[in-house]
Amino acid sequence: MKRTPSVWLKWLLVFVLLVGSTTTATAAAPATVAQARTVYVTRTGKHYFYSRHDRGLNHAKKVYAVSLTTAKKRGLTLAKTSKKKAAKKKPAKKKRVVKKKKSVKKKTTKKKVAKKKTTKKKSAKKVTSKKKPKVKSSGTYIAGASRYRVKVLNKNRPGFSKATLSTRKGAWQKYGRLDLYNRATPANALLNRKLMPKAKRQALYVNPTGWHNKRIKSGWLYNRSHLIGYQLTGQNNNLKNLITGTRQLNDPGMSKYENKVAAYLKASPKHYVRYRVTPVFKNHELLARGVKMQAQSVGSNKIRFNVYLPNTQAGMKLNYVNGLSKVAK
C-alpha cells in the first residue's frame, strides 16, 4: 500500500512534462517562421524592406539582412514601396483575358478587308479588257469604236505671230505648192466675210492623191476634203486645197470647226480670223494620216483652236501608202 502513491506521482510528473512540451512547441512555432523571413534594414532607418534592390534603399550606405522578428522588435514598419509591389502582383489574370478578346477582333477585321480587295481587282480586269484601235507600222490603220476622236494641241493655242494677225492689207488666202508626190501642202488665210462665196458650189471632179473611193455600209468611204472649206473662201477644184479624206474626217471632223468660223465671220464685216490647215503625210504615203487645224480671231478669243483630226473610218482598214482599203476584221 505504501508503493502506490509513488507510482501515481511518477505518472503525474510524466503527464505534466508532456503537456508543457506541447505548449512550448506550439508557442515557439510562429517565432521560427518569422525568423525564417529575411528583410533588409538600415542602421538608422524606421522601415524594413522585402527586397535588397528596393528603390527605398538606393541612397543607403549600408544595408543589413535581418529576420522579420528582429525588425519588428526594433519597432520597424514595412516600407510603402514594398507594399505597392506586393499589391501589383495579384491582378495578372484579368489582363490576359482582355488580350485574348482583342486578338479575336483583329482577325475578323483582316478577313473583311481581304474580301474587298479581291472585288476591286476583278472590276479592274474588266475595264482593261476593252480593245483599243491599233496603228501598224506598215501604213495601215484598224479603226475601233465608231466615235471620232480629236486631239487638242498646245493647250488649244494656235501660236500665230502678231505680224500675220495684222488686218492692214485686208483678207487674203495662200495655198502651198504640191510636193514631189503631188500632195497638198499647208493652206493659210486671213478670213473675212468678203472672201466667202455667194454662188452655189460646183461638183468636184479632180482626184487628189490616194483616191480609191468605194461604197461601204455607211455610204462613200472617201470625200474630196478641202483644207480651207469652200464656204470660207470659195475655192473648189483646186488640187492645192484638196486631199483624200474619210467621211469621218470631213464630217463631223473638219466641218464642225469650219461652221464655227463661218458663223463668226457672217456676224460682222469687221470680224477677221487667222486660219491654217496642214495635211500630215508620213514618208512617201499618198493618203494623209490626218490634218492639223489652227484658227485665231483677231482682237478676241471667240475663235481659238489648235487640233489634230485623224484621217480614219470606223470599221475600215486603210492603207496609207496608196489609199486602198478593206473591211477590218
Side-chain angles (χ1 to χ4, degrees):
M1 294 297 290
K2 289 181 180 180
R3 290 180 181 179
T4 53
S6 61
V7 173
W8 283 106
L9 287 171
K10 286 179 181 180
W11 281 108
L12 283 170
L13 287 170
V14 170
F15 179 75
V16 170
L17 289 170
L18 288 170
V19 171
S21 62
T22 53
T23 53
T24 54
T26 53
T32 55
V33 172
Q35 285 176 357
R37 180 66 184 266
T38 303
V39 295
Y40 301 91
V41 298
T42 59
R43 184 175 292 178
T44 57
K46 296 180 180 180
H47 305 288
Y48 60 88
F49 303 85
Y50 288 141
S51 175
R52 171 64 182 83
H53 302 287
D54 195 292
R55 60 189 180 89
L57 298 171
N58 288 343
H59 299 288
K61 293 181 179 179
K62 287 186 178 181
V63 178
Y64 302 93
V66 298
S67 64
L68 181 61
T69 53
T70 304
K72 287 183 177 180
K73 285 179 181 179
R74 287 175 55 186
L76 302 181
T77 58
L78 181 62
K80 290 182 179 180
T81 53
S82 294
K83 288 180 181 179
K84 288 180 180 179
K85 286 181 180 180
K88 286 181 181 179
K89 291 180 181 179
K90 294 180 180 179
K93 292 182 180 179
K94 291 183 180 179
K95 288 184 179 179
R96 289 179 183 175
V97 175
V98 175
K99 285 181 180 179
K100 286 180 181 178
K101 288 181 180 179
K102 286 182 179 178
S103 61
V104 172
K105 287 182 179 179
K106 285 181 180 178
K107 287 180 181 178
T108 53
T109 52
K110 283 181 180 178
K111 287 181 181 178
K112 288 181 180 178
V113 174
K115 286 181 181 178
K116 288 181 180 178
K117 286 181 179 179
T118 52
T119 53
K120 286 182 180 178
K121 286 180 180 179
K122 287 180 181 178
S123 60
K125 286 181 181 178
K126 289 180 181 178
V127 174
T128 54
S129 62
K130 291 182 180 179
K131 294 182 179 178
K132 296 181 180 179
K134 298 178 181 178
V135 178
K136 294 184 178 180
S137 58
S138 61
T140 59
Y141 180 87
I142 301 174
S146 59
R147 186 179 178 184
Y148 187 75
R149 295 182 181 181
V150 177
K151 185 178 180 181
V152 176
L153 305 175
N154 195 29
K155 298 181 180 179
N156 233 13
R157 294 180 296 215
F160 292 115
S161 63
K162 290 182 180 179
T164 59
L165 291 170
S166 175
T167 60
R168 288 181 182 179
K169 295 181 180 181
W172 52 268
Q173 54 182 315
K174 293 180 181 179
Y175 302 91
R177 294 180 180 180
L178 299 178
D179 66 7
L180 295 174
Y181 301 100
N182 290 322
R183 301 176 301 191
T185 53
N188 286 271
L190 181 64
L191 302 175
N192 182 259
R193 197 165 72 178
K194 292 180 181 179
L195 295 179
M196 300 179 77
K198 296 179 181 179
K200 291 182 179 180
R201 194 183 78 177
Q202 296 179 353
L204 290 167
Y205 53 83
V206 296
N207 295 331
T209 59
W211 182 259
H212 292 283
N213 204 6
K214 65 180 180 182
R215 283 272 189 181
I216 58 174
K217 288 183 179 180
S218 58
W220 288 104
L221 171 61
Y222 290 130
N223 292 158
R224 294 177 177 90
S225 300
H226 293 80
L227 296 180
I228 300 178
Y230 174 81
Q231 63 177 323
L232 301 178
T233 61
Q235 292 290 322
N236 200 31
N237 281 294
N238 182 358
L239 284 174
K240 294 179 181 179
N241 193 39
L242 290 171
I243 63 168
T244 299
T246 61
R247 182 61 187 168
Q248 282 186 334
L249 171 64
N250 202 37
D251 186 19
M254 297 180 72
S255 61
K256 176 183 176 181
Y257 295 92
E258 291 168 354
N259 292 337
K260 287 182 179 180
V261 174
Y264 177 75
L265 295 174
K266 289 177 181 178
S268 172
K270 295 181 180 180
H271 287 171
Y272 287 85
V273 176
R274 177 72 172 89
Y275 199 74
R276 178 165 60 212
V277 181
T278 306
V280 179
F281 292 95
K282 187 175 181 181
N283 300 327
H284 60 278
E285 294 174 353
L286 300 179
L287 184 65
R289 294 275 179 161
V291 293
K292 182 180 179 182
M293 300 182 71
Q294 297 165 274
Q296 175 67 59
S297 53
V298 179
S300 71
N301 284 327
K302 288 187 177 181
I303 299 295
R304 190 190 189 199
F305 56 80
N306 184 2
V307 293
Y308 174 78
L309 291 80
N311 193 15
T312 59
Q313 185 67 37
M316 296 301 296
K317 183 178 179 181
L318 306 180
N319 189 333
Y320 289 93
V321 175
N322 51 26
L324 295 174
S325 61
K326 59 182 179 180
V327 178
K329 294 181 180 179

